[in-house]
């Protein structure tokens, strides 16, 4: 994701929510340069992923470290004759405190109705509309297709033992920052080496132990009752990363979304790609896709 070049200016931000005495409250920021009240956001740095932009800009403007939740409606408008696209996520504060800085001199936690009155831009009200339409908490289920592995025809041993290529190891390392944005609390993987190596850097970074579930493997899904057992095993109150394979992920997504208005992606994620399902009461209410290193 880059904000340079001839295309639109790309930016990202968050709507940070907390539970107040009278219901949900959201965090607004005041920018003295524009004398406006809005949500924390900012332009992407060259090559920066949108998730990283949202976290970085929120931290820079508010001093808060946050966890991203479900995506909110994207905004598109024109600034100085050039189109601008801003992606937003609902977010939860993890730690930190506000200190006035060069961009923001004041922040305010406000109930939704008061926030709507305080906002300077009508387009920001659409974010509150979306939040009000689905006020409940969600839990992220992050489905990862394993990173690039040594090709089957170049491997003489057991297929389950095929390792990642150097490019695949780089993809696995890049996934750490992307998936850390959701602060996962559980990592599950196929028993294939290429899947285990994909999530090993993330698990180490987060201090988690990788749970091995053979049903996430190609052989395990085909030989066992994967469609009946695996979706329920992945749905819960923990933010879960699950690493699987090209043949398994479409069927798993179809099973997870069967009783939901959310439709699964039509295309299989690329190697190292992520499909993030956001679950409310066990049912997907939002879905987003992230290519490795993409926007």
């Amino acid at each position: 994701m880059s904000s340079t070049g001839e295309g639109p200016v790309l930016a990202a931000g968050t709507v940070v929510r907390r539970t107040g005495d009278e219901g949900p409250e959201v965090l607004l920021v005041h920018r003295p340069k524009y004398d406006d009240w809005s949500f924390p956001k900012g332009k992407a740095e060259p090559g920066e992923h949108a998730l990283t932009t949202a976290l970085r800009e929120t931290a820079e403007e508010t001093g808060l470290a946050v966890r991203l939740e479900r995506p909110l409606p994207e905004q598109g408008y024109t600034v100085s004759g050039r189109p601008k696209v801003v992606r937003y996520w609902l977010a939860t504060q993890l730690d930190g405190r506000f200190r006035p800085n060069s961009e923001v001199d004041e922040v305010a936690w406000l109930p939704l109705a008061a926030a709507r009155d305080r906002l300077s831009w009508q387009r920001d009200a659409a974010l509150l509309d979306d939040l009000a339409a689905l006020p409940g908490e969600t839990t992220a289920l992050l489905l990862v297709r394993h990173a690039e592995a040594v090709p089957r025809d170049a491997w003489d041993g057991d297929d389950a033992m095929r390792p990642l290529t150097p490019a695949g190891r780089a993809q696995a390392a890049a996934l750490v920052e992307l998936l850390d944005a959701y602060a996962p609390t559980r990592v599950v993987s196929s028993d294939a080496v290429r899947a285990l190596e994909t999530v090993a850097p993330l698990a180490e970074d987060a201090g988690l132990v990788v749970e091995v579930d053979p049903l996430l493997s190609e052989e395990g899904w085909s030989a066992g009752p994967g469609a009946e057992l695996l979706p329920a095993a992945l749905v819960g109150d923990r933010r879960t990363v699950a690493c699987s394979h090209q043949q398994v992920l479409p069927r798993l997504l179809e099973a997870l979304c069967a009783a939901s208005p959310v439709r699964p992606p039509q295309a299989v994620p690329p190697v190292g790609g992520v499909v993030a399902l956001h679950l409310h009461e066990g049912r997907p209410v939002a879905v987003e896709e992230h290519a490795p290193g993409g926007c």
Side-chain angles (χ1 to χ4, degrees), residues 42-63:
K43 292 187 293 185
E45 295 179 350
E48 187 176 50
H49 197 285
L51 297 174
T52 304
T53 303
L55 294 176
R56 178 182 54 76
E57 286 291 339
T58 301
E60 290 177 358
E61 293 191 353
T62 70

Side-chain angles (χ1 to χ4, degrees), residues 27-108:
L27 182 67
L28 304 190
V29 299
H30 180 259
R31 302 180 299 171
K33 179 178 179 179
Y34 304 102
D35 190 22
D36 68 356
W37 285 93
S38 62
F39 297 111
K41 66 179 183 300
K43 292 187 293 185
E45 295 179 350
E48 187 176 50
H49 197 285
L51 297 174
T52 304
T53 303
L55 294 176
R56 178 182 54 76
E57 286 291 339
T58 301
E60 290 177 358
E61 293 191 353
T62 70
L64 304 185
V66 301
R67 176 184 77 232
L68 299 187
E69 310 288 352
R70 64 181 178 87
L72 295 170
E74 183 179 282
Q75 292 185 357
Y77 50 95
T78 301
V79 177
S80 301
R82 185 177 176 187
K84 183 174 183 177
V85 176
V86 188
R87 297 179 66 180
Y88 280 98
W89 282 267
L90 189 63
T92 298
Q93 179 181 351
L94 297 176
D95 56 38
R97 57 179 297 183
F98 172 70
R99 291 184 176 84
N101 55 75
S102 60
E103 296 183 77
V104 174
D105 62 350
E106 185 180 358
V107 300

Side-chain angles (χ1 to χ4, degrees), residues 97-171:
R97 57 179 297 183
F98 172 70
R99 291 184 176 84
N101 55 75
S102 60
E103 296 183 77
V104 174
D105 62 350
E106 185 180 358
V107 300
W109 286 99
L110 297 172
L112 300 190
R116 180 183 295 275
D117 292 339
R118 182 79 64 92
L119 285 167
S120 299
W121 304 97
Q122 182 60 37
R123 59 177 176 261
D124 288 338
L127 302 176
L128 295 180
D129 291 340
D130 189 85
L131 176 56
L134 184 62
E137 300 290 336
T138 58
T139 303
L141 173 56
L142 308 161
L143 301 176
V144 180
R145 181 178 170 187
H146 70 75
E148 181 181 283
V150 173
R152 294 179 193 270
D153 58 9
W155 182 253
D156 294 331
D158 183 346
D159 185 68
M161 300 302 292
R162 272 195 298 130
L164 298 183
T165 64
R169 289 194 292 272
Q171 289 175 339

